[in-house]
Amino acid sequence: MLFHVRMDVHLPRDLDPEVRADIVAREKAYSQDLQRSGKWPHLWRIAGEYSNISIFDVESNDELHDLLSALPLFPYMTIKATPLATHPSKV
């Protein structure tokens, strides 16, 4: 199942810089592991925002939820996931 996922990050301005650096480093490692596994085949930054648009390729809604909720930045994100279907005009 393919999903279009928008993630907007809202880190607190007063978050300790060392805590922030640790969370961001763990996020990067985890997201790169998911990309290498094929579960997260597309990732784009939204210019000018602390946000991204991604495509996830997973087996189920539950798997997507499990992957997203395991993101170290998950507590600081607003996430919108949209399931995708094949378009009848696709060549």
Side-chain angles (χ1 to χ4, degrees):
M1 297 177 69
L2 295 176
F3 290 87
H4 169 276
V5 180
R6 179 180 172 131
M7 293 177 251
D8 300 305
V9 181
H10 311 283
L11 287 172
R13 293 186 188 276
D14 61 347
L15 187 63
D16 180 282
E18 290 181 19
V19 172
R20 177 189 172 108
D22 176 64
I23 293 169
V24 170
R26 289 186 294 116
E27 179 84 8
K28 183 175 184 177
Y30 178 64
S31 69
Q32 289 179 344
D33 286 345
L34 290 175
Q35 290 172 69
R36 287 186 194 98
S37 77
K39 297 290 181 183
W40 194 338
H42 299 283
L43 170 61
W44 294 277
R45 172 180 285 149
I46 299 174
E49 298 181 29
Y50 196 174
S51 304
N52 72 69
I53 296 290
S54 299
I55 301 295
F56 281 81
D57 188 357
V58 295
E59 295 298 318
S60 67
N61 296 337
D62 291 331
E63 182 183 13
L64 179 65
H65 177 77
D66 290 345
L67 295 177
L68 293 175
S69 62
L71 289 165
L73 285 171
F74 181 78
Y76 307 103
M77 288 183 178
T78 301
I79 299 174
K80 180 177 180 190
T82 305
L84 300 174
T86 305
H87 196 286
S89 296
K90 181 183 180 294
V91 178

